[in-house]
């Protein structure tokens, strides 16, 4: 029996992925390499699966949050072992890929909503702070650190992550209000590699080693130092950009 031509054919997974790739928003110049070349393509496939399953972008945001906050709870509550560390890393990486999927799904469905964007940003803000505070709790409870002063590292990381996230969100808001005429144009492939230590995806990968403190503690400290240095350089630059935006 032939199919009724008036009934649209159901898209397959590959077709949806192709449509998502065509509708992909332009990447910001110099964006971190992992987020662009790994996380976004993986998120595209999650978005295609969610689209075929009939999920909404807000539902995908909620699923992303479930993976991420499950990992954060394990960091704070479960003694670290190599297997636990791998589980934490995989949960965080999956949550991050799903975080990339909700916006792509919204564009595929015709555009997002202010409520959806608000929810996405609030979840991101919560995870960035609580992730590092969970490290502080986990280290205090389970890890024999060389010095108690190292407990200040996750505390400092939480502050740096929150400030950078808020600054970047505010940058986007003020640039859009200005008509987008002063958006960033500098940077490219090399810059994408240079800023890899500031990529949240790289932090997620680092948590694969959480169960081996002899590896994770110095690695986490290096990522904190890189993010703090980036903040010291980026925040004055962004402020100068804002002074050029008309009031």
């Amino acid at each position: 029996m032939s199919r009724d031509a008036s009934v649209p054919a159901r898209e397959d997974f590959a077709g949806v992925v192709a449509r998502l790739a065509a509708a992909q928003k332009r990447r910001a110049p110099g964006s971190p390499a992992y987020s662009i070349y790994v996380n976004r393509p993986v998120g595209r496939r999650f978005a295609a699966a969610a689209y075929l399953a009939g999920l909404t972008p807000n539902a995908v945001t909620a699923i992303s949050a479930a993976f991420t906050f499950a990992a954060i709870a394990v960091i704070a509550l479960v003694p670290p072992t190599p297997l636990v560390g791998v589980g934490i890393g995989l949960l965080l990486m999956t949550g991050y890929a799903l975080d990339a999927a909700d916006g792509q799904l919204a564009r595929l469905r015709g555009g997002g909503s202010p409520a959806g964007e608000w929810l996405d940003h609030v979840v991101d803000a919560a995870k960035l702070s609580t992730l590092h505070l969970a490290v502080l709790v986990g280290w205090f409870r389970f890890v024999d650190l060389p010095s108690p002063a190292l407990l200040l590292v996750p505390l400092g990381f939480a502050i740096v992550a929150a400030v950078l996230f808020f600054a970047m969100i505010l940058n986007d808001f003020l640039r859009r209000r200005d008509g987008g005429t002063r958006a960033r144009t500098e940077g490219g492939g090399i810059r994408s590699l240079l800023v890899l230590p500031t990529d949240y995806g790289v932090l997620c990968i680092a948590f694969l080693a959480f169960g081996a403190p002899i590896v994770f503690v110095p690695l986490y400290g290096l990522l904190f130092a890189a993010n703090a240095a980036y903040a010291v350089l980026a925040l004055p630059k962004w402020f100068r950009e804002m002074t050029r935006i008309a009031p």
Side-chain angles (χ1 to χ4, degrees):
M1 180 181 295
S2 62
R3 182 178 60 83
D4 186 347
S6 65
V7 178
R10 179 176 175 80
E11 286 185 280
D12 61 11
F13 181 80
V16 177
V17 171
R19 266 217 296 152
L20 277 165
Q24 182 65 63
K25 70 177 181 180
R26 184 178 64 86
R27 68 179 178 90
S31 298
Y34 178 89
S35 292
I36 295 300
Y37 300 113
V38 178
N39 198 61
R40 184 175 289 180
V42 174
R44 186 178 303 144
R45 284 151 180 80
F46 278 137
Y51 177 78
L52 293 174
L55 298 178
T56 65
N58 287 351
V60 175
T61 300
I63 296 170
S64 169
F67 275 90
T68 299
F69 288 104
I72 290 171
V74 173
I75 291 168
L77 301 176
V78 179
T81 66
L83 186 59
V84 167
V86 171
I88 290 168
L90 292 176
L91 284 170
L92 289 173
M93 292 162 68
T94 302
Y96 188 38
L98 287 163
D99 186 35
D102 55 8
Q104 296 186 67
L105 177 60
R107 285 188 293 279
L108 188 63
R109 290 164 55 98
S113 67
E117 185 174 5
W118 181 92
L119 179 64
D120 187 41
H121 290 332
V122 168
V123 170
D124 285 345
K127 78 182 182 188
L128 285 172
S129 296
T130 56
L131 175 62
H132 299 294
L133 296 179
V135 172
L136 173 63
V137 173
W139 282 3
F140 178 78
R141 296 184 65 194
F142 305 120
V143 178
D144 185 17
L145 296 169
S147 169
L150 287 173
L151 292 172
L152 296 175
V153 173
L155 184 61
F157 214 151
I159 295 169
V160 169
V163 170
L164 282 175
F165 178 74
F166 180 76
M168 287 187 283
I169 294 298
L170 194 55
N171 287 348
D172 290 341
F173 171 77
L174 293 173
R175 286 166 180 156
R176 285 201 303 264
R177 193 188 68 172
D178 192 46
T181 58
R182 299 183 185 273
R184 293 180 298 172
T185 57
E186 74 280 4
I190 294 178
R191 185 177 185 276
S192 292
L193 295 175
L194 290 175
V195 298
L196 260 177
T198 69
D199 194 323
Y200 177 76
V202 171
L203 179 63
C204 294
I205 293 173
F207 273 93
L208 292 169
F210 184 77
I214 194 171
V215 176
F216 180 76
V217 172
L219 178 59
Y220 183 82
L222 288 173
L223 290 176
F224 165 61
N227 278 265
Y230 179 78
V232 169
L233 295 173
L235 291 173
K237 175 180 176 294
W238 292 339
F239 177 75
R240 290 193 297 273
E241 289 180 9
M242 295 306 112
T243 64
R244 294 193 290 271
I245 292 179

